Every structure is written in structure tokens, then in C-alpha cells.
Amino acid sequence: MTSVKSPLVARIERFPIAGSFTISRGAKTEAVTVVAEISLGGHAGRGECVPYPRYGETPEATLAAIEAMQEGVARGLTRETLQATMPPCAARNALDCALIDLESKRSAQRAWALLGRPEPTAGTTAYTISLASPEAMAAATVKAAHRPLLKIKLGGEGDPERIAAVRKAAPNSELIVDANEAWTASTLEKNLDACAAAGVTLVEQPLPAGADEMLAQIRRPIAVCADESVHDRTSLERLRDRYDAVNIKLDKTGGITEALALADAAKVLGFDIMVGCMVATSLSMAPAMLLTPLARFVDLDGPLLLSRDRDNGLRYEGSRVFPAEAALWG
């Protein structure tokens, strides 16, 4: 039996973070990504993903999951077939984005035109302040206080002091907060009140996914956004009385195909949209830019947190992020 040579290759890549990046679940000093590349007819399409330990993903397992699709890709795997073949996960994201990039290059169309979407334009991205002591966060915030939108990582005990210190250091910036599931039923209302007092616009995922029912039982003084609680369209219905917005990340949805469908469905249900990212290179950010015309909040600062980005990366001017050139993706 003759084996079919696959046009799919995948690899793990590592990019150092400038300093370290800290959230409630820990710190890291490098972004570990997995890249899928599909070649056909002299063209190559790429997609990048970031395996997330929160969902039991590792770079090695993600690489293996992508490589397990080699025969399917060789036999003409389509994006539509991919959605039915793999569950939403980082591996599917890399493959979905690689297939779109390949189709875009082969058809000489930009990805948004190919997908029937509006062309993304430059927009303002949030810039992340890592979790630390109130004093250290204030010092980091002073350096970023010129940015119009800051995303503040919180982590539980001491959060009211952290957000007060950040607000004092950046009196003119719009603030959004990400608790990364670190709050509890006993601290929820106190922390929300502290954020409201600091003029915070939005709080992401204050309670653990699966234990967030209290959000439907209290008066929420500011908008609350689902992150770990939302993955794809099947997640939405149970969130309607708990959240005001949803954070759409391609590694959760398993690619831009489902991400766009999720955004459309969320809009119909009245949710605001945040387009978010993991700490990754511009190759991860580029397809997510297709969501920005639908988004109230854009959080695509991953490359700004790295010591170096990949070649042909997105252009950033301060907090303004510009859509990808075709040499990068789509």
C-alpha cells in the first residue's frame, strides 16, 4: 500500500517574554507556541496556537494532535470537515488558520474577503499589567499610563489595594480587569465594588468557570465578561444571566471559523464582544484581527509583551494595532 505524503508539517516554537508575565495561576518567561504549516501548489498557509494548561493542553500533545491530521490534510481536509473532526482546542485553531491562510494565498484574496467579512482596520488594543504587589503594579502602570486602555491582572487577596494603586498611577486610562477565576463568593462583591470605585469598565472572569452562578444573583455594579466560561457557541445560552460580555480567543474556539460564528451568535443575544489572545506572536494575532469590527474591546497585545516577534509581524504604533500584511497571514 502506497503511503500518502502529507503537505502538513508542525513544530513547537519558543519566544522569550520581556521580563515575565504573571497571572493568578502563575508566571512564565517565554511564549511556547505550536505552528501548523500546510503546503499545496507552491503556496504555504500557516497557523499558530498556544496550548493552555488550564484546559489540560501541552505543546507536545498539541503537536501530536496536529500531526495526527496529516493523512486527512493530504486527502483534502477542508475547514468545514475540520470543525466536525476535532473539538474546539488549540490544535484545531492552528489547522483552521493554516487552511484559511492557504486558501487566501491560492485564491489571491485577503482572508476577510474570502470569508465574506468586513476589512479590519487599525484599532486600540489593551496593554496588560501583570499581577504583582500594589507597589510593583503601580510602578509598571506609571510606565504605561500614556496608553488609553490597560488590562489589569488581579489575583484574589489584596485586589482592592492593587486596583486602587493602578488607578492612581494611570488616572486617565480606561481600565479593564482580569481576575482569571481567582475571586470567591465571599470576595466577589467587595472586589467588584473596589473596581467600580476605581472606574473600571469591565471585569473578566471573576469566579471559576462552572462555579459562577452567583453572578446571576447579585447586582453587578460594572459589566462582567466571560472568559474561561465561554468556548464556542454551545457555551452561550447558560451565560445570559451571568455575563454582559464574552472574551473570544481563537485557542478556545478552535480557530477563526468558529470564533466568527460565536461572535455573530453572541451579538444576537446582546453580549458585548472582547477579542482576546494568549501571549503569542503576530501570527496568532493576525486572524483574530478579523473579529475587531465586531468588538467593543480589543486585547491583542501579545507581541508587545515579547522580547522579539516573528518576521513581518503586526505593526503597532503605541496602542494602535494594524491588520496583518499578506506576507504574515491571510
Side-chain angles (χ1 to χ4, degrees), residues 102-293:
L102 177 63
E103 190 176 348
S104 175
K105 288 178 168 60
R106 294 188 72 207
S107 65
Q109 295 184 78
R110 294 308 307 268
W112 57 82
L114 190 69
L115 299 172
R117 294 284 170 164
E119 180 177 356
T121 58
T124 298
T125 179
Y127 181 81
T128 302
I129 304 296
S130 287
L131 176 66
S133 68
E135 296 77 17
M137 292 182 74
T141 301
V142 165
K143 298 176 183 177
H146 62 286
R147 295 183 181 273
L149 179 62
L150 297 177
K151 178 172 176 172
I152 313 305
K153 291 289 188 179
L154 296 182
E157 187 66 32
D159 280 348
E161 292 76 21
R162 290 185 180 98
I163 196 60
V166 165
R167 171 49 79 198
K168 185 176 180 180
N172 299 318
S173 300
E174 183 177 11
L175 302 182
I176 56 179
V177 157
D178 187 359
N180 283 117
E181 305 181 279
W183 295 354
T184 65
S186 63
T187 63
L188 175 64
E189 292 182 273
K190 180 178 87 168
N191 287 338
L192 283 175
D193 287 343
C195 288
V200 171
T201 303
L202 184 80
V203 174
E204 278 186 75
Q205 200 66 46
L207 297 175
D212 54 5
E213 58 277 354
M214 187 176 178
L215 290 169
Q217 302 164 8
I218 64 167
R219 180 192 64 83
R220 301 194 293 270
I222 54 178
V224 179
C225 178
D227 184 358
E228 286 83 357
S229 287
V230 62
H231 289 256
D232 59 9
R233 283 169 287 175
T234 64
S235 310
L236 281 177
E237 190 59 39
R238 64 175 291 276
L239 306 180
R240 295 180 70 177
D241 61 348
R242 304 178 188 192
Y243 295 95
D244 309 289
V246 292
N247 187 345
I248 300 177
K249 296 176 180 174
L250 272 59
D251 285 311
K252 291 189 301 176
T253 64
I256 188 62
T257 299
E258 175 61 25
L260 289 166
L262 171 60
D264 291 341
K267 279 287 190 182
V268 169
L269 293 176
F271 290 103
D272 278 335
I273 304 296
M274 174 188 284
V275 51
C277 68
M278 308 297 287
V279 183
T281 79
S282 286
L283 185 56
S284 282
M285 308 303 126
M289 285 293 295
L290 272 62
L291 289 161
T292 59

Side-chain angles (χ1 to χ4, degrees), residues 8-11 34-38 45-49 66 91 94-95 98:
L8 167 66
V9 296
R11 58 190 174 272
V34 183
V35 174
E37 185 170 319
I38 302 173
R46 297 183 301 167
E48 177 182 278
C49 69
I66 293 171
L95 287 167

